[in-house]
Amino acid sequence: VQLQASGGGLVQAGGSLRLSCAASGRTSGRYAMGWFRQAPGKEREFVAAISWSGGSTYYADSVKGRFTISRDNAKITVYLQMNSLKPEDTAVYYCAADSRRMVQLIEPDYWGQGTLVTVSS
């Protein structure tokens, strides 16, 4: 499975961005998907996850109420709508997928290349 993330960019604090992650290749399985991020000088952290059906979602406390994860299985794409962005949200955002469990519970098998989000104050 290959994952292609897009949608990053530069935005002012309080603004919004929507990230997309399209899957290709062996996509016939039921993949849970999600987003992680890594800020400069920091370790990678979990952001949001969604089950294959879309019926279950999970968020890091730092983004609850501001970010929304969703997916379109017809397009095999997962989205991350980010509102009320803060400078501390600045990071490279990576999408991930796994057919075994929700991605926040394990080290996912598949990763996208990352897209940079920069939030200016």
Side-chain angles (χ1 to χ4, degrees), residues 109-121:
D109 279 342
Y110 304 103
W111 291 89
Q113 85 288 3
T115 185
L116 177 62
V117 172
T118 304
V119 184
S120 62
S121 57

Side-chain angles (χ1 to χ4, degrees), residues 45-87:
E45 64 175 0
F46 166 73
V47 175
I50 188 166
S51 61
W52 177 84
S53 68
S56 296
T57 56
Y58 299 90
Y59 298 92
D61 288 343
S62 58
V63 306
K64 280 181 182 177
R66 300 189 297 121
F67 291 11
T68 303
I69 189 170
S70 61
R71 67 187 296 161
D72 181 340
N73 282 346
K75 297 180 180 179
I76 320 175
T77 299
V78 64
Y79 305 98
L80 186 68
Q81 178 66 43
M82 305 185 295
N83 298 330
S84 303
L85 282 161
K86 304 175 181 180

Side-chain angles (χ1 to χ4, degrees), residues 19-49:
L19 305 183
S20 299
C21 177
S24 61
R26 295 186 62 183
T27 57
S28 59
R30 298 188 172 190
Y31 293 93
M33 299 183 75
W35 293 91
F36 294 76
R37 67 186 181 187
Q38 187 167 20
K42 294 187 177 181
E43 293 187 352
R44 188 181 66 204
E45 64 175 0
F46 166 73
V47 175

